[in-house]
Amino acid sequence: MKAKGVPASFFIVGENAQANPDLVKRILAEGHDIGNHTFTHPNLGELPDSLITLEINSTQRLFEALTGRSMRLFRAPFLGDAEPTTSDEIVPIEIAQSMGYVSVGLHVDPNDWLRPSADVIVDRVLAQVSDPSPDTRGHVILLHDSGGDRSQTLAALPKLIDALRAKGYDFVTVSDLSGLTRDQAMPAVPRDRSGIS
């Protein structure tokens, strides 16, 4: 991303952030968005409301402790598209929104977590971005940077960036798409709460 000058929005799993605090700080320092993707990546539709809140709050507090900033962007695990329709998809979104989050969905998902080849990832993204139906065509692209071997996803990135730029696309963060400034998407934590001096 850095070599191609592309900003991204990373939705972090708290337990991964806890294990890699320097990476979280680097993502922030390089100008990317960071949003909340829960602490342990459970299917929130299977949890009681209190545990959904705990999952979100745990990642929030860890991020605040690591960076001195809060988060306003949220993406629920296992919720792949932009329009949740069932109660198990809607309730976690409602809880996150009641906590002050902007929920982020997507339509472009090449299922890279299944580890297809880089060329398949690129082909799937280009097909989904070009879908003629406005109901399924999308421009928020989901790629994974953890959860196993990501070598094919990494190999797909430069090809994907070049192919999308050749089609006239620009790359922006989710906060930019939402009309939020960086400080609105990741506001500074008041000094008396963060413990950071």
Side-chain angles (χ1 to χ4, degrees), residues 8-13 28 31-38 55-57 59-60 63 69-77 93 96-97 99-105 140 172-187:
S9 300
F10 290 85
F11 289 84
I12 61 171
V13 174
L28 185 66
H32 304 290
D33 280 351
I34 299 179
N36 195 325
H37 197 45
T38 71
E55 281 282 337
I56 296 169
N57 268 337
T59 298
Q60 175 81 13
F63 185 72
R69 289 184 171 267
S70 188
M71 292 186 270
R72 294 292 168 258
L73 300 175
F74 173 75
R75 193 174 81 74
I93 301 278
Q97 287 176 337
M99 297 169 71
Y101 285 93
V102 174
S103 291
V104 178
V140 174
V172 298
T173 61
V174 169
S175 61
D176 286 337
L177 283 177
S178 302
L180 298 172
T181 66
R182 180 177 173 88
D183 286 337
Q184 289 170 323
M186 296 175 294

Side-chain angles (χ1 to χ4, degrees), residues 6-162:
V6 172
S9 300
F10 290 85
F11 289 84
I12 61 171
V13 174
E15 63 185 3
N16 293 342
Q18 186 174 29
N20 300 283
D22 291 338
L23 181 57
V24 173
K25 293 173 187 176
R26 177 181 162 199
I27 291 168
L28 185 66
E30 290 184 5
H32 304 290
D33 280 351
I34 299 179
N36 195 325
H37 197 45
T38 71
F39 198 82
T40 64
H41 201 272
N43 184 339
L44 297 180
E46 298 173 354
L47 297 181
D49 294 2
S50 60
L51 288 182
I52 294 170
T53 301
L54 180 62
E55 281 282 337
I56 296 169
N57 268 337
S58 297
T59 298
Q60 175 81 13
R61 297 299 175 248
L62 175 65
F63 185 72
E64 290 174 353
L66 292 175
T67 68
R69 289 184 171 267
S70 188
M71 292 186 270
R72 294 292 168 258
L73 300 175
F74 173 75
R75 193 174 81 74
F78 301 99
L79 180 60
D81 63 23
E83 289 89 28
T85 55
T86 62
S87 63
D88 65 320
E89 294 174 335
I90 293 170
V91 169
I93 301 278
E94 288 176 333
I95 291 171
Q97 287 176 337
S98 74
M99 297 169 71
Y101 285 93
V102 174
S103 291
V104 178
L106 58 116
H107 278 301
V108 181
D109 183 358
N111 290 316
D112 67 314
W113 61 274
L114 291 170
R115 296 184 221 147
S117 71
D119 289 338
V120 168
I121 293 169
V122 171
D123 291 345
R124 287 177 180 173
V125 169
L126 294 177
Q128 291 174 43
V129 167
S130 302
D131 190 315
S133 170
D135 292 333
T136 55
R137 179 180 58 237
H139 297 113
V140 174
I141 301 168
L142 172 64
L143 296 173
H144 294 80
D145 65 343
S146 68
D149 181 3
R150 293 288 127 224
S151 59
Q152 292 303 306
T153 299
L154 290 173
L157 269 175
K159 297 176 187 180
L160 186 56
I161 291 166
D162 291 344

